[in-house]
């Protein structure tokens, strides 16, 4: 007769899962990965140009999570700690494999979003447009608009200055606004013809 090994954790008890992961329990690691997979994948997709890159960032992030769990302070939300690892890993990935230039300064004016139009586009459609932004713009836009970092915090994380980060943010809004108009012109029936502009990446 074979006896099933008793689990050292309870799947619905995150603290016990994390503690088991700290003790290198492979089954607990699978549970943690599965529990936060969708959440983590959505973040990685925002910072990546393709699904394949997002998967690479995701896997590298969880490797860091399991290596650094001893640094996690249980008095703080686990999701926030995980999110910081995901974002920093995505930034490091682009610095390693792509050009992530945060030093070029471009001027730009703030362009307000039409919330009514944005609400009529699915989250997947918005994500697809965000992924088409140049890496620097995509990173700054995602950190500020979606993940709630201040421009000063982004400058610190990206080792840049706040003026440059603000410039990238304004330009990212311009590009995204233009992309929405180009991809979904039927949402702007009253707009006059808008000339298409092409920018250097």
């Amino acid at each position: 007769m074979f006896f099933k090994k008793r689990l050292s954790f309870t799947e619905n008890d995150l603290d016990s899962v994390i503690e088991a992961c700290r003790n290198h329990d492979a089954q607990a690691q699978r549970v943690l990965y599965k529990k936060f997979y969708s959440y983590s994948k959505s973040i990685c997709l925002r910072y990546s140009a393709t699904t394949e890159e997002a998967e690479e960032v995701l896997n590298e992030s969880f490797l860091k999570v399991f290596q650094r769990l001893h640094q996690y302070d249980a008095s703080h939300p686990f999701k926030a700690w995980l999110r910081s690892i995901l974002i920093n890993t995505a930034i490091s990935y682009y610095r390693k494999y792509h050009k992530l230039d945060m030093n070029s300064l471009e001027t730009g004016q703030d362009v307000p979003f039409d919330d009514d139009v944005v609400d009529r586009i699915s989250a997947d459609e918005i994500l697809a447009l965000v992924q088409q932004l140049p890496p620097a713009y995509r990173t700054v836009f995602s950190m500020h608009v979606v993940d709630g970092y201040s421009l000063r915090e982004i400058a610190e994380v990206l080792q840049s200055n706040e003026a440059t980060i603000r410039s990238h943010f304004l330009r990212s809004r311009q590009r995204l606004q233009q992309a929405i108009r180009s991809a979904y012109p039927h949402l702007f029936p009253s707009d006059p013809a808008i000339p298409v502009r092409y920018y250097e990446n």
Side-chain angles (χ1 to χ4, degrees):
M1 178 180 247
F2 294 95
F3 295 93
K4 187 175 181 180
K5 181 180 177 181
R6 185 175 181 179
L7 298 178
S8 61
F9 61 91
T10 303
E11 289 193 16
N12 294 327
D13 181 0
L14 180 59
D15 289 340
S16 70
V17 173
I18 291 175
E19 186 58 33
C21 288
R22 283 176 171 150
N23 293 323
H24 311 292
D25 186 315
Q27 193 165 354
Q29 291 176 342
R30 286 192 292 271
V31 169
L32 191 69
Y33 181 86
K34 183 178 180 180
K35 186 182 292 287
F36 290 98
Y37 175 82
S38 295
Y39 171 78
S40 301
K41 181 71 174 289
S42 67
I43 292 176
C44 293
L45 282 169
R46 290 201 303 271
Y47 288 88
S48 303
T50 66
T51 301
E52 291 73 19
E53 288 183 354
E55 286 287 352
E56 290 183 31
V57 172
L58 177 63
N59 291 331
E60 186 175 339
S61 295
F62 267 94
L63 180 60
K64 292 179 180 178
V65 166
F66 295 134
Q67 292 173 339
R68 301 176 183 177
L69 265 178
H70 64 282
Q71 300 175 356
Y72 166 61
D73 182 352
S75 65
H76 296 90
F78 178 75
K79 265 191 173 183
W81 183 78
L82 171 62
R83 184 186 66 177
S84 67
I85 290 181
L86 292 164
I87 294 173
N88 287 330
T89 301
I91 293 170
S92 296
Y93 180 94
Y94 256 84
R95 281 182 171 149
K96 183 176 181 180
Y97 296 106
H98 302 278
K99 182 179 180 181
L100 187 57
D101 184 9
M102 289 294 170
N103 297 317
S104 60
L105 180 60
E106 298 181 9
T107 59
Q109 296 179 344
D110 198 1
V111 179
F113 280 115
D114 185 333
D115 292 332
D116 291 337
V117 171
V118 172
D119 288 343
R120 288 155 62 187
I121 304 174
S122 72
D124 287 341
E125 289 170 328
I126 289 291
L127 175 61
L129 295 177
V130 170
Q131 286 182 313
Q132 293 173 21
L133 294 173
Y137 293 169
R138 180 173 63 244
T139 299
V140 172
F141 181 87
S142 295
M143 291 183 74
H144 187 52
V145 174
V146 183
D147 291 308
Y149 286 79
S150 70
L151 297 181
R152 178 175 297 180
E153 289 172 331
I154 296 172
E156 292 175 356
V157 171
L158 299 180
Q159 300 176 356
S160 184
N161 63 72
E162 193 171 344
T164 299
I165 296 303
R166 177 172 175 78
S167 172
H168 284 319
F169 173 62
L170 296 181
R171 296 290 285 179
S172 71
R173 286 172 63 91
Q174 289 178 335
R175 291 236 189 156
L176 187 57
Q177 184 89 319
Q178 183 182 22
I180 293 174
R181 291 177 183 273
S182 298
Y184 306 99
H186 61 282
L187 298 178
F188 304 87
S190 61
D191 276 3
I194 300 175
V196 177
R197 287 183 173 180
Y198 297 94
Y199 300 95
E200 295 288 337
N201 281 350

